Amino acid sequence: MAKGEGGSLWQLICEAPVSTAGGRGVTLFKDLTRELEASATGDRLRPLLEDLKVRSLLSGMFEGSPYLTALAQRDSQRLSAFLTSPPETSYQDLVVALRRQMARASDLAFAKSALRQFKSGVALLTALADLGGVWPVMTVTRVLSETADVAVNEAVRFLFREAVARGEWRADTGEAADAASGYFVLAMGKWGAFELNYSSDIDLIVFFDRDKTKYCGQQDLQSFYVRLTKDLVALLEERTPGGYVFRTDLRLRPDAGATQVALSTAAAHGYYETVGQNWERAAMIKARVAAGDMTAGQEFLDELAPFIWRKYLDYAAIADIHAMKRQIHAHKGLGDVAVLGQNIKLGRGGIREIEFFVQTQQLIAGGRQADLRKRETLAALRALEKRGWVQPVVATELDHAYRYLRRLEHRLQMVGDEQTHDMPGDDDGLLEISRFCGHEDVGLFSRELRQVLETVERHYAGLFEGAPALSGADSNMVFAGATDDPATVEELARLGYSQPSQVLAIVRSWHHGRTQAVRSARARERLTEVQPLLITALADTVDPDAAIAGFDRFLSELPAGVQLFSLLKANPALIRLIANIMGSAPRLARILSERRRLLDAVLDPHAPGDAAVASGLDGVLAREFAQARRQGRSEPLQDILDRARVIGSEQGFLTGLGLLTGSLTAAQAGAAYATIAERLVAALLADVTLELELDHGKVPGAAAVVVALGKLGGREMTASSDLDLILIYDFDDGALQSDGPRPLAAAHYYARLTQRLVTALSAPTAEGKLYDVDMRLRPSGQKGPLATRLSSFAAYQASEAWTWEHMALTRARVIAGSRELGVRTEAAIRDCLIKPRDRTQIARDVHEMRALIAKEKGTDNIWDLKQVRGGLVDLEFIAQHLQLIHAASNPSVLDQNTLAAIGKLEAAGCLDRQTSSALRKSGRLLSDLGQILRLCLDHNFEPQTAPGGLKDLLAKAGGVVSFENLETELISALAVIYQAFERLIV
């Protein structure tokens, strides 16, 4: 502690607050005088109380500070003792008394009382020395900091003695239990720099070295240190009738939202080496060991030096710190320099700007110039001046401003022992604080303060001339640091986030590297660059909280984030797209996280389902197959299957994005999905055929085709559709088996080919699977052979097939295989469909089949678009029934696509225009909604729990303004189809 000039405190008084004649301060001073004169020491104190300097100091103190008045009235004898002794002696007496009391403290209650008596004594003593001009302001800050040192040290020592008494700690003879414990407390911030303000919190971080412990209790080591730290906090900050010692803040520890209040040094080093933040580097400049095992603590700080002090000029870190300061200004409403209501710490020209001015330059150059590594702000400022980083006149002006503002800060806090930095907001309050600072002329005081603030602002701005302006939604928000910034919470709420604190926690977790994608410093740098746009885009979805939670899950499943963030930076439109996915399409979000390369596919210039992509698919797969053969791989088909899945997932994902963004209609998306499936089936059929031929040869004169039915046949596929397929083959009548080294009978040969094709399409590989395949629509269903010869297929359809099989056949088309056999197969299908039929019998069969389906899968849920009455099953049955009964006389009505078939039925005069138009309108609505739901969800749609973004997307797809209107439209569409079903199928 700095020494004064000697003599009693009252003899050293050289200034005082201003009190008014007849005011509160004068009255309270008279009351105190009478009390002291009535005491046993009254005669000795009379000259003291009659001294003008003492009278002015105490009257001014009583008038300006209710808190200090209460301290003086609580123990007037202590007040007189302080006035009549040198302040340094009084302080040392307080320290000695505390140590004596703590040494004999038998429980927490006694220790708390002793600590609080000590703190209240220091509070009164430092106020007298400060207000009376006995100690300069930086001496006051040092005494307050040393007070925290003493209090924390004594509290830690007491707690370790208690642990020894409980048998939890092994104490060595002649040594304090805490001294070599491996447990230490780092003083941070102003406390670390010996710059505590009058009513300051103390920022601390607690660490322990596992290798130095002497713990012998039953708990695990971490739990012991956490409990001890919580007891330490309770000793210091719990309010009792005696007040409190210090408010404590442990949120500067590594990843405070996810870690315990006491951390091992090993875990801390791992954190700082991998994901330590730039703001943490700046904070660590002031760190020092304040209590506990001083040796272990200093070793820790020495080892941490490379993290704090980098050898290169770290301008990126400086940009981070400057951004924080600009965020504080913009977000706390701290605009231009003012006097009324000015925040002298965080506002423009305030204390924080001086600290940042110094710290930023320390971080720039401190790695190579060790003499700049000063904790104290003013000492660092002078070191920077000496090194030529700061001009002498600037250093002098900032030194004066810092002392001036810190002194004013003390006055603001002495009024009510509050951690405030705000000037009064009205003229009366300004006059009171002006007088408490010793100014009679409030105008002069205001001009003086403004000049100081403007000087600081000018020098700080000069340091960052040319710094880029922050842009984006979060440019005015503070995500750095250990606590939620209240104004950031407000801004996030304004943007639409209903749980802003959760958003802050998520963003902080990204920057703390809690998942693999953001573990590297480079990834976090890239994230910072795109974060403003990302926060904006996610907030602009209908459910921002779900969107950011979805993006967080997406990040958690990525192995690395550098590529993603670089891609987003280069293509800002992708940010909006990803936000839409996260807010509206959980299924797409999951696919995107599982197949990260899909983001690259988004940038592909080809449109989904584009002919160039589809036709090129065969060539890509053929090249992969040929390369695999050349390299002599034992399982070359595996590479082809993986590649097919990559291409299929990419093209399917692009189709989904087109649907999501509105660049594709539902009908176009259905056709695109079908095109992708057709090309993949054709390519894989060719590849598995070649594989089979290598093993078993060829069947003379044989060929095969794949027939698609269902959604694929009708070119109405969705994102989650399976493939309804039939394989049909034919061969020369004289051919009995294949001609390879391991010949197979023709039927067995094509059954084997079918099995291999199904496996190629549906088997999971490292790249997932392409499609589920359903072959139950083949002749005789599951009881029939996997592959059917054309003649058997035609005979079965002519004489054995049920009505429902002919209905399914209306959607059949050849999609792969031999062109010549394909022509013959489609002719056989057509011949079956254009045969005359008994209209009454067909209607009866359709009703029976629909009743059976309703019994097994019936529902009244309007969002089960397929099975609900009036849904897609009814619509398809209408089209299929009418085609079967009219195709004999009007073959032109045949079309695999349901809505196209209804149009052709109208054109042929088989369906009136009004009914046709109503059915196609209703069918389009069901198709549009079904495409969106299958794209976005893996499960049934539940309006009560569905994302708001998805509901909006559905309403947009339905061409209405709200989801409620959409449900009305849907109910109407279902009624139209059901009524047509009952009227037409007779």
Side-chain angles (χ1 to χ4, degrees):
M1 185 183 71
K3 298 293 182 182
E5 298 177 359
S8 299
L9 189 150
W10 74 274
Q11 295 172 319
L12 301 174
I13 295 171
C14 59
E15 61 183 64
V18 174
S19 60
T20 56
R24 180 178 68 245
V26 172
T27 300
L28 289 171
F29 177 75
K30 290 178 179 178
D31 293 341
L32 177 67
T33 300
R34 284 193 293 271
E35 177 184 343
L36 290 174
E37 287 181 340
S39 67
T41 57
D43 291 340
R44 182 170 61 85
L45 292 175
R46 187 172 291 107
L48 170 70
L49 299 175
E50 292 175 352
D51 186 270
L52 178 61
K53 294 187 296 184
V54 173
R55 186 164 62 249
S56 297
L57 173 60
L58 295 182
S59 297
M61 184 175 80
F62 294 159
E63 182 149 328
S65 171
Y67 169 68
L68 294 176
T69 300
L71 284 183
Q73 291 174 335
R74 183 186 306 171
D75 189 346
S76 58
Q77 294 301 316
R78 180 175 62 179
L79 171 64
S80 65
F82 287 162
L83 289 169
T84 56
S85 300
E88 296 81 12
T89 301
S90 295
Y91 180 73
Q92 290 304 322
D93 289 344
L94 289 170
V95 172
V96 170
L98 173 67
R99 288 174 175 162
R100 185 184 306 117
Q101 287 181 300
M102 292 297 288
R104 60 186 180 87
S106 57
D107 54 37
L108 278 173
F110 188 93
K112 287 180 182 178
S113 177
L115 287 165
R116 281 149 184 76
Q117 290 176 27
F118 170 65
K119 175 58 188 303
S120 68
V122 173
L124 181 57
L125 175 64
T126 53
L128 292 169
D130 194 351
L131 292 169
V134 177
W135 280 342
V137 65
M138 300 316 297
T139 298
V140 175
T141 62
R142 188 166 190 96
V143 170
L144 292 169
S145 302
E146 290 178 355
T147 297
D149 286 6
V150 171
V152 175
N153 261 293
E154 290 302 316
V156 169
R157 188 160 296 134
F158 166 78
L159 291 171
F160 269 95
R161 284 200 306 271
E162 290 285 286
V164 171
R166 290 193 302 267
E168 293 181 334
W169 194 266
R170 186 181 71 254
D172 295 334
T173 304
E175 181 181 55
D178 61 301
S181 62
Y183 177 94
F184 57 91
V185 177
L186 290 188
M188 305 293 292
K190 286 186 169 61
W191 180 26
F194 291 103
E195 295 169 347
L196 276 185
N197 52 57
Y198 186 79
S199 187
S200 182
D201 299 349
I202 55 172
D203 294 304
L204 61 146
I205 308 179
V206 174
F207 295 109
F208 60 90
D209 187 335
R210 290 181 179 274
D211 295 335
K212 298 183 178 182
T213 184
K214 297 174 185 176
Y215 178 65
C216 52
Q218 300 301 311
Q219 289 181 293
D220 65 275
L221 191 60
Q222 173 92 39
S223 298
F224 167 76
Y225 284 125
V226 167
R227 188 189 67 186
L228 188 144
T229 303
K230 289 181 177 178
D231 287 343
L232 172 63
V233 170
L235 273 173
L236 295 173
E237 74 174 19
E238 280 189 4
R239 289 187 178 270
T240 72
Y244 69 101
V245 188
F246 285 100
R247 294 177 296 268
T248 59
D249 192 337
L250 290 96
R251 291 172 295 182
L252 291 180
R253 68 185 186 274
D255 200 359
T259 56
Q260 296 281 12
V261 293
L263 285 80
S264 73
T265 52
H269 279 303
Y271 170 85
Y272 288 123
E273 289 170 5
T274 56
V275 294
Q277 310 289 294
N278 280 324
W279 69 266
E280 290 172 305
R281 292 180 56 213
M284 277 292 174
I285 290 177
K286 295 180 181 290
R288 65 180 173 84
V289 191
D293 189 334
M294 307 297 282
T295 301
Q298 193 55 53
E299 288 174 355
F300 175 81
L301 286 179
D302 291 343
E303 292 168 358
L304 201 62
F307 164 69
I308 307 169
W309 307 109
R310 297 179 181 173
K311 296 300 182 184
Y312 54 88
L313 298 182
D314 192 6
Y315 287 98
I318 307 318
D320 270 4
I321 293 174
H322 182 49
M324 286 175 61
K325 188 64 179 71
R326 286 180 290 166
Q327 289 165 350
I328 289 169
H329 282 165
H331 207 52
K332 290 187 176 295
L334 305 173
D336 296 335
V337 167
V339 173
L340 286 177
Q342 176 78 6
N343 187 305
I344 64 167
K345 176 182 177 182
L346 301 178
R348 294 190 184 278
I351 296 166
R352 183 58 56 84
E353 285 195 353
I354 302 173
E355 293 171 339
F356 278 4
F357 179 95
V358 173
Q359 288 175 338
T360 51
Q361 294 179 93
Q362 283 183 283
L363 286 179
I364 288 175
R368 293 191 291 185
Q369 297 174 355
D371 54 322
L372 298 180
R373 303 177 187 181
K374 308 287 187 183
R375 296 186 182 94
E376 300 90 338
T377 300
L378 297 182
L381 181 62
R382 290 302 175 184
L384 288 167
E385 177 194 358
K386 185 176 180 180
R387 278 284 187 173
W389 286 91
V390 177
Q391 294 297 317
V393 64
V394 175
T396 298
E397 290 181 348
L398 290 180
D399 184 295
H400 167 73
Y402 186 75
R403 296 174 194 272
Y404 181 94
L405 293 172
R406 293 304 308 274
R407 190 169 180 270
L408 174 57
E409 177 186 44
H410 285 181
R411 298 298 185 275
L412 292 171
Q413 295 178 355
M414 285 176 185
V415 173
D417 189 29
E418 294 175 341
Q419 178 72 332
T420 181
H421 304 89
D422 291 331
M423 291 290 292
D426 56 51
D427 291 336
D428 289 342
L430 182 63
L431 177 60
E432 289 181 3
I433 199 66
S434 171
R435 288 173 173 171
F436 195 47
C437 291
H439 287 270
E440 291 274 9
D441 187 339
V442 67
L444 178 61
F445 170 70
S446 297
R447 289 192 296 274
E448 188 178 82
L449 173 58
R450 181 182 293 274
Q451 182 179 3
V452 167
L453 296 172
E454 289 175 347
T455 297
V456 174
E457 180 188 35
R458 183 176 70 255
H459 292 315
Y460 182 79
L463 181 65
F464 293 105
E465 284 179 354
L470 296 174
S471 61
D474 76 346
S475 61
N476 292 335
M477 290 187 273
V478 181
F479 291 94
T483 60
D484 290 355
D485 171 59
T488 301
V489 171
E490 292 178 9
E491 178 65 8
L492 288 170
R494 188 193 67 78
L495 286 172
Y497 293 100
S498 66
Q499 300 179 16
S501 291
Q502 184 63 28
V503 175
L504 282 159
I506 287 173
V507 175
R508 276 199 296 269
S509 74
W510 297 343
H511 289 285
H512 281 115
R514 292 182 191 163
T515 60
Q516 186 63 38
V518 285
R519 197 67 42 87
S520 73
R522 187 179 174 206
R524 294 192 299 278
E525 289 171 3
R526 294 291 182 270
L527 169 62
T528 300
E529 292 170 345
V530 300
Q531 185 172 293
L533 292 176
L534 184 63
I535 294 295
T536 303
L538 293 171
D540 203 29
T541 60
V542 172
D543 191 346
D545 298 280
I548 197 166
F551 187 78
D552 185 46
R553 286 192 298 273
F554 169 56
L555 276 189
S556 71
E557 294 169 354
L558 293 179
V562 172
Q563 183 179 10
L564 167 66
F565 302 137
S566 298
L567 184 65
L568 295 180
K569 182 183 179 185
N571 302 273
L574 282 183
I575 297 177
R576 174 69 58 184
L577 185 60
I578 288 178
N580 287 336
I581 292 172
M582 300 305 162
S584 306
R587 179 178 178 273
L588 275 185
R590 176 185 57 76
I591 293 172
L592 188 60
S593 65
E594 293 172 352
R595 298 175 178 270
R596 294 166 293 279
R597 71 182 72 193
L598 293 176
L599 280 176
D600 296 323
V602 173
L603 302 178
D604 193 294
H606 298 295
D610 186 275
V613 174
S615 62
L617 191 55
D618 300 278
V620 170
L621 292 169
R623 286 194 301 274
E624 296 256 347
F625 182 84
Q627 181 182 8
R629 279 296 175 197
R630 284 195 302 271
Q631 294 177 353
R633 295 177 184 170
S634 59
E635 294 183 296
L637 188 59
Q638 185 64 44
D639 298 322
I640 298 165
L641 299 186
D642 284 341
R643 183 59 184 155
R645 281 149 177 75
V646 169
I647 294 172
S649 63
E650 287 179 354
Q651 295 304 309
F653 187 78
L654 286 172
T655 301
L657 292 186
L659 182 62
L660 186 67
T661 59
S663 62
L664 291 178
T665 65
Q668 290 170 330
Y673 285 128
T675 298
I676 296 165
E678 290 169 30
R679 290 305 185 186
L680 288 168
V681 170
L684 289 174
L685 176 65
D687 290 326
V688 297
T689 299
L690 182 54
E691 283 273 303
L692 191 67
E693 290 172 353
L694 291 171
D695 292 336
H696 304 287
K698 298 180 180 180
V699 177
V705 294
V706 177
V707 177
L709 301 100
K711 296 286 187 184
L712 174 56
R715 298 181 67 81
E716 301 166 2
M717 285 186 68
T718 69
S720 58
S721 291
D722 57 12
L723 305 184
D724 292 300
L725 303 177
I726 300 174
L727 191 137
I728 295 177
Y729 64 92
D730 205 2
F731 54 89
D732 291 346
D733 288 338
L736 298 178
Q737 62 181 23
S738 63
D739 57 10
R742 292 184 290 164
L744 294 173
H748 192 189
Y749 184 95
Y750 282 105
R752 183 73 59 82
L753 177 66
T754 306
Q755 289 173 331
R756 292 193 178 190
L757 176 61
V758 171
T759 298
L761 289 166
S762 61
T765 74
E767 295 293 341
K769 69 177 180 179
L770 277 173
Y771 302 101
D772 288 320
V773 178
D774 189 342
M775 302 198 73
R776 291 175 295 178
L777 293 178
R778 66 185 186 273
S780 299
Q782 291 178 317
K783 297 179 180 179
L786 285 176
T788 307
R789 191 174 182 183
L790 178 59
S791 57
S792 298
F793 172 80
Y796 176 85
Q797 296 295 341
S799 59
E800 298 182 51
W802 293 54
T803 297
W804 69 265
E805 291 177 286
H806 289 162
M807 292 170 67
L809 209 59
T810 62
R811 310 184 78 180
R813 62 188 178 89
V814 175
I815 62 169
S818 164
R819 180 171 299 179
E820 184 273 335
L821 180 59
V823 171
R824 290 195 287 130
T825 300
E826 290 192 331
I829 294 170
R830 180 181 175 84
D831 288 345
C832 173
L833 293 176
I834 63 176
K835 287 183 178 180
R837 302 175 194 278
D838 182 339
R839 177 173 185 152
T840 302
Q841 183 60 47
I842 296 297
R844 185 181 301 115
D845 290 346
V846 171
H847 276 288
E848 287 179 358
M849 185 166 26
R850 188 64 184 93
L852 180 62
I853 292 173
K855 181 179 179 181
E856 294 181 354
K857 301 179 180 179
T859 178
D860 58 1
N861 177 10
I862 64 171
W863 288 103
D864 188 341
L865 300 176
K866 181 177 181 180
Q867 300 297 345
V868 69
R869 291 314 309 258
L872 290 170
V873 169
D874 283 349
L875 182 66
E876 292 166 0
F877 276 19
I878 291 171
Q880 292 163 6
H881 166 77
L882 293 178
Q883 286 180 94
L884 288 181
I885 65 176
H886 291 294
S889 57
N890 291 287
S892 63
V893 300
L894 294 175
D895 198 290
Q896 294 92 354
N897 182 273
T898 300
L899 295 183
I902 290 174
K904 288 184 176 183
L905 286 162
E906 178 195 343
C910 303
L911 190 63
D912 67 88
R913 178 177 297 179
Q914 183 177 356
T915 301
S916 171
S917 176
L919 285 175
R920 282 183 287 152
K921 178 183 177 182
S922 298
R924 278 193 296 273
L925 177 62
L926 295 186
S927 175
D928 291 350
L929 299 181
Q931 284 285 5
I932 295 294
L933 290 175
R934 296 286 71 79
L935 172 69
C936 296
L937 298 177
D938 283 321
H939 50 78
N940 293 333
F941 175 70
E942 297 290 343
Q944 297 82 2
T945 58
L950 176 56
K951 291 168 132 181
D952 268 18
L953 192 62
L954 288 168
K956 183 179 180 181
V960 294
V961 297
S962 72
F963 183 76
E964 290 72 20
N965 289 346
L966 177 64
E967 290 196 311
T968 301
E969 290 291 317
L970 176 56
I971 291 170
S972 176
L974 296 174
V976 166
I977 294 172
Y978 179 61
Q979 291 166 9
F981 181 93
E982 293 294 314
R983 186 175 71 254
L984 295 172
I985 303 180
V986 292

